[in-house]
Amino acid sequence: MSGELKIRKAEASDYAAVRDLADALAAHIEEPPPPLTPDRYVAFYVREHAPVHLFVALLGDRVVGMIAWILTHELYSAKAALYISDIAVHADVRGKGVGRALMMKAKEWGSDHGVTRLGWDVWKHNASAMRFYERLGATVDTEAAPHLLELTND
């Protein structure tokens, strides 16, 4: 890894690099490329008060990773949580601390905003990601069962 690793909030000018990471992540989990347009990227990730927080990892001027999350709050417990929707690192820099630095950024941001836990989903066939999260001290949530309700225009 050459150069100093920096983590910063994503900017509109990061669109192409973030799109490349999103495409690679989708391919890795056997999904089609996301229909992410520049306008949708800015609306959801970059504009002031965007609903999703997106940070990028840079080596020099090159975006080599990203992490995105939303802040949630549970009424029954009055606790805030951070849900990580996406984390991706370029293949050529995996194993060099980029993913760890991105996760530490999420943890730091969460601590600064009253969050008591971080949560995320892992694709069931992504054994290397599961080992990575385990090394960070994460455990599998056996108390919850994920559910999905697909919304269509029907």
Side-chain angles (χ1 to χ4, degrees), residues 71-135:
L71 181 64
T72 66
H73 191 273
E74 299 168 335
L75 289 170
Y76 77 91
S77 68
K79 292 181 179 178
L82 188 149
Y83 176 79
I84 298 169
S85 58
D86 298 284
I87 181 170
V89 174
H90 271 290
D92 64 333
V93 295
R94 286 189 194 137
K96 299 185 188 229
V98 176
R100 177 177 289 279
L102 288 165
M103 290 296 288
M104 293 306 104
K105 181 63 179 181
K107 187 176 176 182
E108 172 190 308
W109 189 95
S111 292
D112 291 346
H113 290 84
V115 167
T116 59
R117 70 174 175 222
L118 279 61
W120 58 90
D121 295 327
V122 182
W123 185 52
K124 66 183 177 181
H125 300 295
N126 197 344
S128 63
M130 290 181 214
R131 287 189 302 272
F132 167 72
Y133 297 129
E134 189 175 281
R135 286 191 305 272

Short mmCIF file of all heavy atoms in Angstrom, two decimals, residues 71-135:
data_model
loop_
_atom_site.label_atom_id
_atom_site.label_comp_id
_atom_site.label_asym_id
_atom_site.label_seq_id
_atom_site.Cartn_x
_atom_site.Cartn_y
_atom_site.Cartn_z
N LEU A 71 -28.44 5.71 10.26
CA LEU A 71 -28.64 5.77 11.70
C LEU A 71 -30.08 5.35 11.97
O LEU A 71 -31.01 5.83 11.32
CB LEU A 71 -28.40 7.20 12.19
CG LEU A 71 -28.54 7.46 13.69
CD1 LEU A 71 -27.49 6.67 14.45
CD2 LEU A 71 -28.39 8.95 13.96
N THR A 72 -30.26 4.43 12.90
CA THR A 72 -31.60 3.99 13.28
C THR A 72 -31.79 4.22 14.78
O THR A 72 -30.83 4.42 15.52
CB THR A 72 -31.84 2.50 12.95
OG1 THR A 72 -30.99 1.70 13.78
CG2 THR A 72 -31.56 2.20 11.50
N HIS A 73 -33.04 4.18 15.21
CA HIS A 73 -33.34 4.35 16.62
C HIS A 73 -34.51 3.45 16.96
O HIS A 73 -35.52 3.42 16.25
CB HIS A 73 -33.71 5.81 16.92
CG HIS A 73 -33.78 6.10 18.37
ND1 HIS A 73 -34.93 5.92 19.11
CD2 HIS A 73 -32.85 6.56 19.23
CE1 HIS A 73 -34.69 6.25 20.37
NE2 HIS A 73 -33.44 6.64 20.46
N GLU A 74 -34.37 2.70 18.02
CA GLU A 74 -35.42 1.78 18.45
C GLU A 74 -36.23 2.42 19.57
O GLU A 74 -35.68 2.79 20.61
CB GLU A 74 -34.79 0.47 18.96
CG GLU A 74 -33.99 -0.25 17.90
CD GLU A 74 -33.13 -1.36 18.46
OE1 GLU A 74 -32.76 -1.33 19.65
OE2 GLU A 74 -32.82 -2.27 17.67
N LEU A 75 -37.51 2.55 19.36
CA LEU A 75 -38.38 3.15 20.38
C LEU A 75 -38.46 2.28 21.63
O LEU A 75 -38.48 2.79 22.74
CB LEU A 75 -39.78 3.39 19.82
CG LEU A 75 -39.86 4.53 18.80
CD1 LEU A 75 -41.23 4.53 18.14
CD2 LEU A 75 -39.60 5.86 19.47
N TYR A 76 -38.50 0.96 21.46
CA TYR A 76 -38.68 0.09 22.62
C TYR A 76 -37.50 0.14 23.59
O TYR A 76 -37.66 -0.11 24.77
CB TYR A 76 -38.97 -1.35 22.19
CG TYR A 76 -37.75 -2.12 21.73
CD1 TYR A 76 -37.00 -2.87 22.63
CD2 TYR A 76 -37.35 -2.09 20.41
CE1 TYR A 76 -35.87 -3.56 22.22
CE2 TYR A 76 -36.24 -2.78 19.99
CZ TYR A 76 -35.50 -3.51 20.89
OH TYR A 76 -34.38 -4.20 20.48
N SER A 77 -36.30 0.45 23.06
CA SER A 77 -35.13 0.48 23.94
C SER A 77 -34.54 1.88 24.09
O SER A 77 -33.69 2.10 24.94
CB SER A 77 -34.03 -0.45 23.39
OG SER A 77 -33.52 0.07 22.17
N ALA A 78 -34.99 2.80 23.25
CA ALA A 78 -34.46 4.17 23.21
C ALA A 78 -32.97 4.18 22.90
O ALA A 78 -32.23 5.04 23.37
CB ALA A 78 -34.76 4.93 24.50
N LYS A 79 -32.52 3.21 22.10
CA LYS A 79 -31.11 3.12 21.72
C LYS A 79 -30.95 3.38 20.24
O LYS A 79 -31.75 2.92 19.43
CB LYS A 79 -30.54 1.74 22.06
CG LYS A 79 -30.45 1.49 23.55
CD LYS A 79 -29.85 0.13 23.82
CE LYS A 79 -29.74 -0.10 25.32
NZ LYS A 79 -29.20 -1.43 25.63
N ALA A 80 -29.87 4.09 19.92
CA ALA A 80 -29.52 4.33 18.53
C ALA A 80 -28.60 3.23 18.04
O ALA A 80 -27.77 2.71 18.80
CB ALA A 80 -28.85 5.69 18.39
N ALA A 81 -28.73 2.88 16.78
CA ALA A 81 -27.87 1.88 16.16
C ALA A 81 -27.46 2.38 14.78
O ALA A 81 -28.11 3.24 14.19
CB ALA A 81 -28.60 0.54 16.04
N LEU A 82 -26.38 1.86 14.31
CA LEU A 82 -25.88 2.20 12.98
C LEU A 82 -25.97 0.93 12.14
O LEU A 82 -25.48 -0.12 12.56
CB LEU A 82 -24.43 2.66 13.14
CG LEU A 82 -23.71 3.25 11.95
CD1 LEU A 82 -22.71 4.28 12.46
CD2 LEU A 82 -22.99 2.17 11.19
N TYR A 83 -26.66 1.01 11.00
CA TYR A 83 -26.79 -0.13 10.11
C TYR A 83 -25.92 0.11 8.88
O TYR A 83 -26.15 1.07 8.14
CB TYR A 83 -28.23 -0.38 9.69
CG TYR A 83 -28.33 -1.52 8.70
CD1 TYR A 83 -28.26 -2.83 9.14
CD2 TYR A 83 -28.41 -1.27 7.34
CE1 TYR A 83 -28.29 -3.88 8.24
CE2 TYR A 83 -28.44 -2.31 6.43
CZ TYR A 83 -28.38 -3.61 6.88
OH TYR A 83 -28.40 -4.65 5.99
N ILE A 84 -24.93 -0.73 8.69
CA ILE A 84 -24.03 -0.62 7.54
C ILE A 84 -24.68 -1.33 6.36
O ILE A 84 -24.94 -2.53 6.40
CB ILE A 84 -22.65 -1.24 7.86
CG1 ILE A 84 -22.01 -0.48 9.02
CG2 ILE A 84 -21.76 -1.24 6.62
CD1 ILE A 84 -20.78 -1.15 9.61
N SER A 85 -24.97 -0.55 5.31
CA SER A 85 -25.61 -1.13 4.13
C SER A 85 -24.59 -1.66 3.13
O SER A 85 -24.87 -2.63 2.43
CB SER A 85 -26.52 -0.10 3.45
OG SER A 85 -25.78 1.05 3.08
N ASP A 86 -23.43 -1.03 3.06
CA ASP A 86 -22.42 -1.44 2.09
C ASP A 86 -21.03 -1.17 2.63
O ASP A 86 -20.79 -0.12 3.24
CB ASP A 86 -22.55 -0.66 0.78
CG ASP A 86 -23.87 -0.88 0.09
OD1 ASP A 86 -24.04 -1.95 -0.51
OD2 ASP A 86 -24.74 0.02 0.15
N ILE A 87 -20.12 -2.09 2.37
CA ILE A 87 -18.70 -1.87 2.58
C ILE A 87 -18.01 -2.62 1.45
O ILE A 87 -18.36 -3.77 1.15
CB ILE A 87 -18.20 -2.31 3.97
CG1 ILE A 87 -16.69 -2.02 4.11
CG2 ILE A 87 -18.56 -3.73 4.28
CD1 ILE A 87 -16.15 -2.19 5.53
N ALA A 88 -17.07 -1.95 0.81
CA ALA A 88 -16.34 -2.58 -0.30
C ALA A 88 -14.93 -2.02 -0.34
O ALA A 88 -14.71 -0.83 -0.07
CB ALA A 88 -17.05 -2.32 -1.62
N VAL A 89 -13.99 -2.90 -0.69
CA VAL A 89 -12.58 -2.53 -0.81
C VAL A 89 -12.07 -3.10 -2.12
O VAL A 89 -12.36 -4.26 -2.45
CB VAL A 89 -11.76 -3.09 0.38
CG1 VAL A 89 -10.28 -2.83 0.20
CG2 VAL A 89 -12.25 -2.48 1.70
N HIS A 90 -11.32 -2.30 -2.88
CA HIS A 90 -10.73 -2.79 -4.13
C HIS A 90 -9.91 -4.05 -3.85
O HIS A 90 -9.17 -4.11 -2.86
CB HIS A 90 -9.83 -1.74 -4.77
CG HIS A 90 -10.56 -0.83 -5.70
ND1 HIS A 90 -11.05 -1.24 -6.92
CD2 HIS A 90 -10.87 0.49 -5.58
CE1 HIS A 90 -11.64 -0.21 -7.51
NE2 HIS A 90 -11.55 0.84 -6.72
N ALA A 91 -10.02 -5.03 -4.72
CA ALA A 91 -9.35 -6.32 -4.55
C ALA A 91 -7.84 -6.16 -4.37
O ALA A 91 -7.24 -6.89 -3.58
CB ALA A 91 -9.65 -7.23 -5.74
N ASP A 92 -7.23 -5.20 -5.05
CA ASP A 92 -5.77 -5.08 -4.98
C ASP A 92 -5.25 -4.49 -3.68
O ASP A 92 -4.04 -4.48 -3.46
CB ASP A 92 -5.23 -4.30 -6.18
CG ASP A 92 -5.69 -2.86 -6.22
OD1 ASP A 92 -6.78 -2.55 -5.70
OD2 ASP A 92 -4.96 -2.03 -6.79
N VAL A 93 -6.15 -4.04 -2.80
CA VAL A 93 -5.69 -3.52 -1.50
C VAL A 93 -6.33 -4.26 -0.32
O VAL A 93 -6.17 -3.86 0.82
CB VAL A 93 -5.91 -1.99 -1.35
CG1 VAL A 93 -5.06 -1.23 -2.35
CG2 VAL A 93 -7.38 -1.62 -1.47
N ARG A 94 -7.03 -5.35 -0.60
CA ARG A 94 -7.61 -6.13 0.49
C ARG A 94 -6.50 -6.74 1.33
O ARG A 94 -5.44 -7.09 0.83
CB ARG A 94 -8.52 -7.23 -0.05
CG ARG A 94 -9.81 -6.67 -0.57
CD ARG A 94 -10.82 -7.74 -0.92
NE ARG A 94 -11.87 -7.10 -1.69
CZ ARG A 94 -12.42 -7.61 -2.77
NH1 ARG A 94 -12.04 -8.79 -3.21
NH2 ARG A 94 -13.35 -6.95 -3.40
N GLY A 95 -6.77 -6.84 2.63
CA GLY A 95 -5.78 -7.39 3.55
C GLY A 95 -4.73 -6.38 3.97
O GLY A 95 -3.76 -6.74 4.64
N LYS A 96 -4.94 -5.11 3.63
CA LYS A 96 -3.95 -4.07 3.94
C LYS A 96 -4.48 -3.01 4.91
O LYS A 96 -3.91 -1.95 5.02
CB LYS A 96 -3.45 -3.43 2.65
CG LYS A 96 -2.80 -4.46 1.76
CD LYS A 96 -2.20 -3.85 0.54
CE LYS A 96 -1.77 -4.98 -0.34
NZ LYS A 96 -0.60 -5.10 -0.91
N GLY A 97 -5.61 -3.31 5.57
CA GLY A 97 -6.12 -2.41 6.60
C GLY A 97 -7.19 -1.44 6.16
O GLY A 97 -7.70 -0.68 6.97
N VAL A 98 -7.56 -1.46 4.89
CA VAL A 98 -8.56 -0.52 4.39
C VAL A 98 -9.93 -0.83 4.98
O VAL A 98 -10.62 0.07 5.49
CB VAL A 98 -8.61 -0.51 2.84
CG1 VAL A 98 -9.72 0.40 2.34
CG2 VAL A 98 -7.26 -0.08 2.27
N GLY A 99 -10.35 -2.09 4.94
CA GLY A 99 -11.64 -2.47 5.50
C GLY A 99 -11.72 -2.18 6.98
O GLY A 99 -12.72 -1.67 7.48
N ARG A 100 -10.65 -2.50 7.70
CA ARG A 100 -10.60 -2.22 9.14
C ARG A 100 -10.73 -0.71 9.39
O ARG A 100 -11.47 -0.29 10.28
CB ARG A 100 -9.30 -2.75 9.73
CG ARG A 100 -9.14 -2.43 11.22
CD ARG A 100 -7.88 -3.04 11.79
NE ARG A 100 -7.99 -4.49 11.89
CZ ARG A 100 -8.60 -5.12 12.89
NH1 ARG A 100 -9.16 -4.45 13.87
NH2 ARG A 100 -8.65 -6.44 12.93
N ALA A 101 -10.03 0.10 8.61
CA ALA A 101 -10.09 1.56 8.78
C ALA A 101 -11.51 2.08 8.51
O ALA A 101 -11.99 2.96 9.22
CB ALA A 101 -9.08 2.25 7.87
N LEU A 102 -12.17 1.52 7.51
CA LEU A 102 -13.54 1.93 7.23
C LEU A 102 -14.48 1.55 8.37
O LEU A 102 -15.33 2.34 8.79
CB LEU A 102 -14.02 1.30 5.92
CG LEU A 102 -13.39 1.89 4.66
CD1 LEU A 102 -13.63 0.99 3.45
CD2 LEU A 102 -13.91 3.30 4.38
N MET A 103 -14.33 0.34 8.89
CA MET A 103 -15.16 -0.08 10.02
C MET A 103 -14.87 0.76 11.26
O MET A 103 -15.79 1.10 12.01
CB MET A 103 -14.94 -1.57 10.32
CG MET A 103 -15.50 -2.50 9.26
SD MET A 103 -17.30 -2.45 9.09
CE MET A 103 -17.81 -3.26 10.61
N MET A 104 -13.63 1.13 11.49
CA MET A 104 -13.28 1.97 12.63
C MET A 104 -13.88 3.37 12.46
O MET A 104 -14.29 4.00 13.44
CB MET A 104 -11.78 2.04 12.83
CG MET A 104 -11.12 0.73 13.27
SD MET A 104 -11.87 -0.01 14.75
CE MET A 104 -12.85 -1.34 14.04
N LYS A 105 -13.97 3.85 11.22
CA LYS A 105 -14.62 5.15 10.96
C LYS A 105 -16.10 5.07 11.35
O LYS A 105 -16.63 5.97 11.99
CB LYS A 105 -14.46 5.56 9.50
CG LYS A 105 -15.08 6.89 9.19
CD LYS A 105 -14.41 8.00 9.99
CE LYS A 105 -14.98 9.36 9.68
NZ LYS A 105 -14.30 10.41 10.44
N ALA A 106 -16.76 3.98 10.96
CA ALA A 106 -18.17 3.81 11.33
C ALA A 106 -18.32 3.74 12.84
O ALA A 106 -19.23 4.36 13.42
CB ALA A 106 -18.74 2.55 10.68
N LYS A 107 -17.44 3.01 13.50
CA LYS A 107 -17.48 2.89 14.96
C LYS A 107 -17.26 4.25 15.62
O LYS A 107 -17.98 4.63 16.55
CB LYS A 107 -16.41 1.88 15.40
CG LYS A 107 -16.45 1.54 16.85
CD LYS A 107 -15.40 0.46 17.14
CE LYS A 107 -15.34 0.17 18.62
NZ LYS A 107 -14.32 -0.83 18.93
N GLU A 108 -16.28 4.99 15.13
CA GLU A 108 -15.99 6.33 15.67
C GLU A 108 -17.17 7.28 15.48
O GLU A 108 -17.59 7.97 16.41
CB GLU A 108 -14.75 6.89 14.97
CG GLU A 108 -14.43 8.34 15.28
CD GLU A 108 -13.35 8.87 14.34
OE1 GLU A 108 -12.29 8.24 14.22
OE2 GLU A 108 -13.59 9.93 13.71
N TRP A 109 -17.74 7.28 14.28
CA TRP A 109 -18.88 8.13 13.99
C TRP A 109 -20.05 7.75 14.89
O TRP A 109 -20.72 8.60 15.46
CB TRP A 109 -19.28 8.01 12.52
CG TRP A 109 -20.31 9.00 12.07
CD1 TRP A 109 -20.08 10.20 11.47
CD2 TRP A 109 -21.74 8.88 12.21
NE1 TRP A 109 -21.28 10.83 11.22
CE2 TRP A 109 -22.31 10.04 11.66
CE3 TRP A 109 -22.57 7.91 12.74
CZ2 TRP A 109 -23.68 10.25 11.62
CZ3 TRP A 109 -23.95 8.13 12.71
CH2 TRP A 109 -24.49 9.28 12.15
N GLY A 110 -20.28 6.45 15.03
CA GLY A 110 -21.36 5.98 15.87
C GLY A 110 -21.18 6.41 17.32
O GLY A 110 -22.12 6.90 17.96
N SER A 111 -19.98 6.24 17.84
CA SER A 111 -19.70 6.67 19.23
C SER A 111 -19.96 8.15 19.41
O SER A 111 -20.51 8.57 20.43
CB SER A 111 -18.25 6.35 19.60
OG SER A 111 -18.07 4.96 19.66
N ASP A 112 -19.59 8.94 18.41
CA ASP A 112 -19.80 10.39 18.48
C ASP A 112 -21.27 10.78 18.41
O ASP A 112 -21.63 11.90 18.75
CB ASP A 112 -19.05 11.10 17.35
CG ASP A 112 -17.55 11.06 17.52
OD1 ASP A 112 -17.05 10.71 18.62
OD2 ASP A 112 -16.84 11.37 16.53
N HIS A 113 -22.13 9.87 17.93
CA HIS A 113 -23.55 10.16 17.75
C HIS A 113 -24.45 9.32 18.65
O HIS A 113 -25.64 9.13 18.36
CB HIS A 113 -23.93 10.00 16.28
CG HIS A 113 -23.34 11.05 15.41
ND1 HIS A 113 -22.05 10.96 14.90
CD2 HIS A 113 -23.82 12.24 14.99
CE1 HIS A 113 -21.79 12.04 14.19
NE2 HIS A 113 -22.84 12.84 14.24
N GLY A 114 -23.93 8.79 19.74
CA GLY A 114 -24.75 8.09 20.72
C GLY A 114 -25.19 6.70 20.33
O GLY A 114 -26.13 6.16 20.91
N VAL A 115 -24.52 6.11 19.37
CA VAL A 115 -24.88 4.76 18.91
C VAL A 115 -24.35 3.72 19.89
O VAL A 115 -23.25 3.85 20.41
CB VAL A 115 -24.29 4.54 17.48
CG1 VAL A 115 -24.34 3.09 17.08
CG2 VAL A 115 -25.01 5.42 16.47
N THR A 116 -25.15 2.69 20.13
CA THR A 116 -24.74 1.63 21.06
C THR A 116 -24.30 0.36 20.35
O THR A 116 -23.73 -0.52 20.98
CB THR A 116 -25.88 1.29 22.04
OG1 THR A 116 -27.02 0.86 21.28
CG2 THR A 116 -26.23 2.50 22.89
N ARG A 117 -24.61 0.24 19.04
CA ARG A 117 -24.15 -0.94 18.31
C ARG A 117 -24.17 -0.69 16.81
O ARG A 117 -24.91 0.15 16.31
CB ARG A 117 -24.96 -2.17 18.65
CG ARG A 117 -26.36 -2.13 18.12
CD ARG A 117 -27.07 -3.44 18.37
NE ARG A 117 -28.45 -3.27 17.95
CZ ARG A 117 -29.48 -3.71 18.60
NH1 ARG A 117 -29.32 -4.38 19.71
NH2 ARG A 117 -30.68 -3.52 18.15
N LEU A 118 -23.35 -1.46 16.12
CA LEU A 118 -23.31 -1.47 14.66
C LEU A 118 -23.87 -2.80 14.20
O LEU A 118 -23.64 -3.83 14.84
CB LEU A 118 -21.87 -1.36 14.15
CG LEU A 118 -21.22 0.02 14.08
CD1 LEU A 118 -21.13 0.67 15.42
CD2 LEU A 118 -19.86 -0.09 13.43
N GLY A 119 -24.60 -2.79 13.11
CA GLY A 119 -25.14 -4.02 12.55
C GLY A 119 -25.01 -4.01 11.03
O GLY A 119 -24.89 -2.95 10.42
N TRP A 120 -25.02 -5.19 10.43
CA TRP A 120 -24.94 -5.33 8.98
C TRP A 120 -25.31 -6.75 8.61
O TRP A 120 -25.37 -7.64 9.45
CB TRP A 120 -23.54 -4.98 8.46
CG TRP A 120 -22.44 -5.80 9.07
CD1 TRP A 120 -21.95 -6.99 8.60
CD2 TRP A 120 -21.71 -5.52 10.26
NE1 TRP A 120 -20.96 -7.46 9.42
CE2 TRP A 120 -20.78 -6.56 10.45
CE3 TRP A 120 -21.72 -4.48 11.20
CZ2 TRP A 120 -19.89 -6.60 11.53
CZ3 TRP A 120 -20.85 -4.52 12.26
CH2 TRP A 120 -19.94 -5.57 12.41
N ASP A 121 -25.54 -6.96 7.34
CA ASP A 121 -25.80 -8.29 6.81
C ASP A 121 -24.59 -8.72 5.99
O ASP A 121 -23.91 -7.89 5.40
CB ASP A 121 -27.04 -8.29 5.89
CG ASP A 121 -28.32 -7.96 6.64
OD1 ASP A 121 -28.43 -8.32 7.82
OD2 ASP A 121 -29.21 -7.33 6.03
N VAL A 122 -24.36 -10.01 5.94
CA VAL A 122 -23.26 -10.57 5.15
C VAL A 122 -23.86 -11.62 4.22
O VAL A 122 -24.63 -12.48 4.66
CB VAL A 122 -22.18 -11.21 6.03
CG1 VAL A 122 -21.03 -11.74 5.18
CG2 VAL A 122 -21.67 -10.23 7.07
N TRP A 123 -23.50 -11.54 2.95
CA TRP A 123 -23.95 -12.54 1.99
C TRP A 123 -23.49 -13.91 2.47
O TRP A 123 -22.33 -14.09 2.87
CB TRP A 123 -23.38 -12.21 0.62
CG TRP A 123 -23.82 -13.08 -0.50
CD1 TRP A 123 -25.11 -13.39 -0.85
CD2 TRP A 123 -22.98 -13.75 -1.44
NE1 TRP A 123 -25.12 -14.21 -1.94
CE2 TRP A 123 -23.82 -14.45 -2.33
CE3 TRP A 123 -21.61 -13.83 -1.62
CZ2 TRP A 123 -23.33 -15.21 -3.38
CZ3 TRP A 123 -21.12 -14.58 -2.67
CH2 TRP A 123 -21.98 -15.27 -3.54
N LYS A 124 -24.38 -14.87 2.46
CA LYS A 124 -24.13 -16.18 3.07
C LYS A 124 -22.93 -16.92 2.50
O LYS A 124 -22.37 -17.79 3.16
CB LYS A 124 -25.37 -17.05 3.01
CG LYS A 124 -25.79 -17.46 1.61
CD LYS A 124 -27.06 -18.27 1.64
CE LYS A 124 -27.52 -18.62 0.24
NZ LYS A 124 -28.75 -19.39 0.26
N HIS A 125 -22.50 -16.60 1.29
CA HIS A 125 -21.36 -17.28 0.68
C HIS A 125 -20.04 -16.50 0.83
O HIS A 125 -19.03 -16.92 0.28
CB HIS A 125 -21.62 -17.54 -0.81
CG HIS A 125 -22.82 -18.40 -1.06
ND1 HIS A 125 -22.90 -19.72 -0.65
CD2 HIS A 125 -24.01 -18.12 -1.64
CE1 HIS A 125 -24.07 -20.21 -0.99
NE2 HIS A 125 -24.77 -19.26 -1.58
N ASN A 126 -20.07 -15.40 1.56
CA ASN A 126 -18.89 -14.55 1.68
C ASN A 126 -18.10 -14.90 2.95
O ASN A 126 -18.08 -14.15 3.92
CB ASN A 126 -19.29 -13.07 1.67
CG ASN A 126 -18.12 -12.16 1.37
OD1 ASN A 126 -16.96 -12.57 1.46
ND2 ASN A 126 -18.43 -10.93 1.04
N ALA A 127 -17.46 -16.06 2.90
CA ALA A 127 -16.73 -16.56 4.08
C ALA A 127 -15.59 -15.64 4.49
O ALA A 127 -15.33 -15.46 5.68
CB ALA A 127 -16.20 -17.97 3.80
N SER A 128 -14.91 -15.01 3.52
CA SER A 128 -13.80 -14.13 3.88
C SER A 128 -14.30 -12.90 4.64
O SER A 128 -13.65 -12.45 5.59
CB SER A 128 -12.98 -13.73 2.65
OG SER A 128 -13.78 -12.99 1.74
N ALA A 129 -15.45 -12.38 4.26
CA ALA A 129 -16.03 -11.24 4.99
C ALA A 129 -16.42 -11.66 6.40
O ALA A 129 -16.19 -10.93 7.36
CB ALA A 129 -17.24 -10.68 4.24
N MET A 130 -16.98 -12.84 6.53
CA MET A 130 -17.37 -13.32 7.86
C MET A 130 -16.15 -13.46 8.77
O MET A 130 -16.20 -13.08 9.93
CB MET A 130 -18.12 -14.65 7.75
CG MET A 130 -19.50 -14.49 7.13
SD MET A 130 -20.33 -16.09 7.05
CE MET A 130 -21.27 -15.91 5.55
N ARG A 131 -15.05 -13.97 8.22
CA ARG A 131 -13.82 -14.07 9.02
C ARG A 131 -13.29 -12.68 9.38
O ARG A 131 -12.84 -12.45 10.51
CB ARG A 131 -12.75 -14.86 8.25
CG ARG A 131 -13.04 -16.35 8.18
CD ARG A 131 -11.86 -17.14 7.62
NE ARG A 131 -11.47 -16.72 6.28
CZ ARG A 131 -11.99 -17.18 5.15
NH1 ARG A 131 -12.95 -18.10 5.19
NH2 ARG A 131 -11.57 -16.74 3.98
N PHE A 132 -13.36 -11.75 8.45
CA PHE A 132 -12.93 -10.38 8.70
C PHE A 132 -13.72 -9.77 9.86
O PHE A 132 -13.15 -9.22 10.80
CB PHE A 132 -13.10 -9.54 7.42
CG PHE A 132 -12.99 -8.06 7.63
CD1 PHE A 132 -11.76 -7.47 7.91
CD2 PHE A 132 -14.10 -7.24 7.54
CE1 PHE A 132 -11.65 -6.10 8.10
CE2 PHE A 132 -14.00 -5.87 7.72
CZ PHE A 132 -12.78 -5.31 8.00
N TYR A 133 -15.03 -9.89 9.83
CA TYR A 133 -15.86 -9.31 10.90
C TYR A 133 -15.61 -10.01 12.23
O TYR A 133 -15.62 -9.37 13.28
CB TYR A 133 -17.35 -9.38 10.52
CG TYR A 133 -17.67 -8.56 9.28
CD1 TYR A 133 -18.38 -9.10 8.23
CD2 TYR A 133 -17.24 -7.24 9.16
CE1 TYR A 133 -18.68 -8.36 7.10
CE2 TYR A 133 -17.53 -6.49 8.03
CZ TYR A 133 -18.25 -7.06 7.00
OH TYR A 133 -18.53 -6.33 5.89
N GLU A 134 -15.39 -11.31 12.18
CA GLU A 134 -15.08 -12.05 13.41
C GLU A 134 -13.78 -11.54 14.03
O GLU A 134 -13.69 -11.37 15.24
CB GLU A 134 -14.97 -13.54 13.08
CG GLU A 134 -14.88 -14.42 14.29
CD GLU A 134 -14.89 -15.89 13.89
OE1 GLU A 134 -15.98 -16.41 13.61
OE2 GLU A 134 -13.79 -16.49 13.85
N ARG A 135 -12.78 -11.26 13.19
CA ARG A 135 -11.51 -10.71 13.70
C ARG A 135 -11.70 -9.34 14.33
O ARG A 135 -10.94 -8.94 15.21
CB ARG A 135 -10.46 -10.63 12.59
CG ARG A 135 -9.89 -11.98 12.19
CD ARG A 135 -8.67 -11.85 11.29
NE ARG A 135 -8.88 -11.07 10.09
CZ ARG A 135 -9.32 -11.55 8.92
NH1 ARG A 135 -9.60 -12.84 8.80
NH2 ARG A 135 -9.47 -10.76 7.89
#
